Amino acid sequence: MKIEGNPLWVRVFAVGLIALVGVEFAAAQAPAEADAPAAADGAVDAEGLAIAQALEAMGWKREGVGELGEWAEVQIPKGYRFTGKSGTKQFLEFTNNIPGGGELGIIAPEEFDWWVLFEFDESGYVKDEDKDSLDASAMLKSMKEGQEMANEQRESLGMGPLFVDRWAQEPNYNEATNNLEWATVLVDGEGNENVNYNTRLLGRHGVMEVTLICSEEQLPVILGDFQNMVGDFGYKDGQSYAEFKEGDKIAKMGLAALILGGGAAVAAKTGLFAVVGKFFKWIIAGFVAIGVAIKRLFTGREDS
């Protein structure tokens, strides 16, 4: 992977990961290089090795169950990896994303060409009374306005802007499973696009926020695998939506507010939406650098 030929955020990300490895990588580099694949000119792919080592240090499980805090768990499919709260926070920071504090886990294929983020919003029991009145056009307009404010926060943290461009899938609520789904296409300051495919799994005490991060071209190909993975998600005993009891905390938001930023958005009865932009947690496609590096490391080539 040649850093110079990539967008700015990829170059910063790659340099940051190489710096993370630091002295430990330098000490281990000599023996590791003996088994590392060679680039076209015979040179060892040191950048890819550094990224792979830094990624592995975040701690991954490759079988069994991924624990999502006290709330839920998800099965780890064969050929996938899972990391918990600590590793997820590290990964978000290294891919130029802002951790929100509620992140609980990440699942990704071994090649890391897409990934799924799990977060929990302990907002209370969300009533679905507005399920038949979701106004996709009004919500997209509010998202765009809210992202303008969110970019002020990104700029203060030295991050480039992100822009909500369009729906990849308009909001849809499944009453049988209490799942809310929608997908947006995001564009960064250099014109690169990626999709955030959002699923909200309503629970007794809040909402599990599940975000699939991929390209728009990948979405129809991998959506089935993602939905199977979500099907293997389960709330722990006493935490499911159906186990609501009188006296439980009721969330101050409905389904529309979930789409507009969760607890940071308020859906008024008039249908007008007030959005606190800094709470928009769009996820950029920082995994691209990782996916390319790992593919190069294990196959000796990059897909064109």
Side-chain angles (χ1 to χ4, degrees):
M1 182 182 67
K2 294 184 178 180
I3 296 177
E4 292 79 1
N6 286 297
L8 177 60
W9 66 264
V10 174
R11 300 198 299 271
V12 172
F13 167 71
V15 171
L17 283 183
I18 292 170
L20 170 70
V21 177
V23 175
E24 292 182 358
F25 171 64
Q29 187 174 10
E33 283 185 353
D35 297 324
D41 59 0
V44 172
D45 186 10
E47 292 169 359
L49 184 59
I51 289 175
Q53 288 184 336
L55 181 67
E56 199 61 32
M58 296 174 191
W60 301 89
K61 290 181 64 176
R62 289 174 166 82
E63 61 181 3
V65 173
E67 294 288 339
L68 300 171
E70 64 185 280
W71 312 107
E73 59 188 26
V74 63
Q75 295 293 322
I76 306 170
K78 183 178 181 180
Y80 288 72
R81 57 170 77 193
F82 172 90
T83 189
K85 185 176 181 66
S86 176
T88 298
K89 182 176 184 293
Q90 293 178 58
F91 184 84
L92 291 176
E93 290 172 343
F94 296 148
T95 52
N96 203 19
N97 289 290
I98 305 173
E103 55 277 347
L104 295 174
I106 284 175
I107 282 185
E110 281 292 349
E111 287 194 346
F112 235 104
D113 48 354
W114 54 274
W115 51 283
V116 178
L117 172 67
F118 292 87
E119 303 172 276
F120 191 76
D121 181 359
E122 193 178 353
S123 53
Y125 181 86
V126 177
K127 294 185 177 181
D128 59 4
E129 296 170 341
D130 59 341
K131 58 181 178 291
D132 297 321
S133 58
L134 300 176
D135 188 333
S137 296
M139 286 188 286
L140 186 63
K141 181 176 183 292
S142 289
M143 285 180 175
K144 292 182 177 182
E145 293 171 352
Q147 190 57 34
E148 291 178 6
M149 292 184 284
N151 280 332
E152 295 178 8
Q153 185 193 25
R154 292 185 60 83
E155 183 179 1
S156 71
L157 296 173
M159 300 178 179
L162 289 175
F163 303 96
V164 183
D165 186 68
R166 60 190 182 276
W167 293 116
Q169 177 177 306
E170 291 190 359
N172 176 64
Y173 179 65
N174 186 326
E175 286 189 73
T177 61
N178 303 118
N179 293 355
L180 176 66
E181 295 182 315
W182 74 95
T184 51
V185 178
L186 306 181
V187 183
D188 68 15
E190 298 182 356
N192 301 303
E193 294 185 353
N194 74 275
V195 169
N196 279 201
Y197 190 97
N198 297 274
T199 302
R200 298 295 181 263
L201 309 173
L202 305 190
R204 176 182 173 186
H205 297 294
V207 181
M208 187 65 69
E209 303 175 351
V210 186
T211 308
L212 164 65
I213 299 92
C214 65
S215 70
E216 193 169 15
E217 292 74 21
Q218 285 177 302
L219 184 60
V221 178
I222 67 177
L223 187 56
D225 289 342
F226 167 70
Q227 291 175 332
N228 287 337
M229 184 184 301
V230 171
D232 288 333
F233 166 93
Y235 275 107
K236 295 181 179 180
D237 289 345
Q239 302 294 341
S240 72
Y241 196 75
E243 293 172 287
F244 170 80
K245 296 179 180 179
E246 291 297 328
D248 285 347
K249 177 183 176 181
I250 304 295
K252 296 179 180 180
M253 59 183 174
L255 300 180
L258 285 180
I259 297 169
L260 292 177
V266 177
K269 296 294 184 182
T270 60
L272 300 176
F273 304 104
V275 179
V276 181
K278 70 177 182 178
F279 288 97
F280 273 88
K281 296 182 292 184
W282 308 118
I283 309 299
I284 64 170
F287 67 94
V288 170
I290 287 179
V292 171
I294 291 178
K295 187 167 291 186
R296 174 69 176 266
L297 187 64
F298 288 106
T299 68
R301 64 178 177 80
E302 298 178 20
D303 289 345
S304 57

